[in-house]
Amino acid sequence: RNIFKVKKSNAEKSKKMEKEEKFFRETFMYDKEINVINTATAECSVPSKRTVDLPVTAGERLDIIDVTEGNAVICRNSEGRYGYVLVEHLNFR
């Protein structure tokens, strides 16, 4: 019985990730392949001020997807949400 619950939750999570990726591609007009180029840990908690910013909590691990001009990078969190995070809020160790 538990096996079916795991499969169902993975399917729901996969569907949510696809929805987040679609939203990201439309919002950011991002047509490149999504590759993780690095990982980082959030130094502090930062709420999002704009819809394109990714809210992060201290200690959260993030995948770096792309580097932008300026001091922000495009990140993805463990829930599959994408957004800009300032480099000064990240620890790359």
Side-chain angles (χ1 to χ4, degrees):
R1 289 182 184 179
N2 291 339
I3 295 170
F4 296 115
K5 287 183 181 179
V6 171
K7 286 184 180 180
K8 185 178 179 182
S9 67
N10 285 344
E12 288 174 3
K13 189 173 185 178
S14 176
K15 194 171 188 174
K16 183 179 178 189
M17 295 281 252
E18 287 176 19
K19 183 180 175 184
E20 291 289 349
E21 182 178 331
K22 183 180 178 191
F23 176 77
F24 162 69
R25 288 188 178 281
E26 290 172 357
T27 304
F28 288 74
M29 293 180 269
Y30 196 85
D31 57 357
K32 297 187 260 181
E33 185 176 340
I34 295 175
N35 290 321
V36 176
I37 57 175
N38 203 347
T39 57
T41 305
E43 291 273 305
C44 57
S45 297
V46 182
S48 63
K49 295 179 179 154
R50 307 173 295 171
T51 57
V52 293
D53 293 332
L54 181 65
V56 295
T57 55
E60 181 177 13
R61 294 195 46 82
L62 302 168
D63 294 330
I64 310 300
I65 304 299
D66 206 348
V67 178
T68 63
E69 293 179 21
N71 60 346
V73 291
I74 298 174
C75 295
R76 177 178 61 200
N77 66 10
S78 61
E79 297 173 3
R81 294 190 60 205
Y82 295 83
Y84 291 115
V85 178
L86 294 177
V87 174
E88 62 200 44
H89 298 304
L90 300 174
N91 182 353
F92 290 94
R93 290 183 204 152

